[in-house]
Amino acid sequence: IVKGEKYNPANKEANKAAAKAQGVDLGGNFNKLIEKFNTAKANGLKRPALTYQLHNFPNKKLKIYPALTTGKNPGFLYVKLSDLYLGKIDNEGILIKSKDFESVFGVDEFLKEIAKDPVKFSAIHGRNIGSCCFCARELTTKESLTAGYGPICAEKWELPW
């Protein structure tokens, strides 16, 4: 949304046009990611989240998590870098950037890669950093290190094991 404008859930076409004008349609959008969060919730996870380590911010974590169903953005996913709010992904898979989004170098490319194939990206990331993106726990077994996530997350998120 253009600076100074507010997101209007009743006017989806105007929101999409504004989002695209800002360059936030990150190629194919985030529908696959939204599907994975819906799967995790359907399988009993109360607060599913994805946590990633950005190379250029080694002491901070990028976190993607759903808005509360009772909040003002039900069905949306929030994107944060530690405590810095970067934006939200609406229920149609469009990223709405916050004013601080541009201050985080490389986050747009990182999110593009997640959007393409969240499972593959998360597995590779988990293997590279040695911790699960789905639960943020350290990967300790050979099987988990090979998969990039653990067996419980594989079950809850319906990932190949």
Side-chain angles (χ1 to χ4, degrees):
I1 303 302
V2 179
K3 190 173 184 176
E5 289 184 30
K6 291 190 175 184
Y7 181 79
N8 180 356
N11 193 348
K12 291 181 181 179
E13 290 308 311
N15 294 332
K16 280 186 183 180
K20 286 183 181 179
Q22 257 189 302
V24 296
D25 186 356
L26 296 176
N29 69 39
F30 291 89
N31 288 333
K32 291 178 187 176
L33 186 63
I34 291 167
E35 288 172 19
K36 276 296 156 197
F37 273 95
N38 290 338
T39 297
K41 285 184 204 172
N43 288 330
L45 281 182
K46 291 183 176 155
R47 293 185 179 172
L50 293 173
T51 305
Y52 301 97
Q53 180 65 55
L54 294 175
H55 296 292
N56 47 339
F57 293 93
N59 298 323
K60 298 185 179 201
K61 305 281 185 186
L62 180 76
K63 188 172 181 179
I64 303 171
Y65 61 97
L68 295 173
T69 56
T70 57
K72 60 183 186 177
N73 296 307
F76 284 39
L77 298 175
Y78 290 129
V79 181
K80 280 185 156 185
L81 182 64
S82 294
D83 291 334
L84 182 65
Y85 172 71
L86 298 178
K88 57 191 170 190
I89 300 166
D90 74 9
N91 49 19
E92 292 187 12
I94 301 294
L95 174 67
I96 298 132
K97 295 179 182 179
S98 77
K99 62 180 171 58
D100 294 317
F101 188 90
E102 298 302 328
S103 69
V104 183
F105 178 76
V107 75
D108 50 349
E109 291 299 320
F110 200 82
L111 289 171
K112 279 183 195 178
E113 292 301 314
I114 294 170
K116 283 183 197 173
D117 189 341
V119 174
K120 181 179 177 183
F121 183 86
S122 297
I124 291 168
H125 190 75
R127 286 193 292 270
N128 288 341
I129 64 167
S131 84
C132 179
C133 298
F134 300 95
C135 67
R137 292 188 177 128
E138 182 181 358
L139 301 172
T140 57
T141 68
K142 182 180 177 185
E143 297 83 10
S144 295
L145 287 164
T146 300
Y149 47 81
I152 294 170
C153 290
E155 180 184 336
K156 296 288 185 184
W157 291 81
E158 295 183 7
L159 309 169
W161 182 249

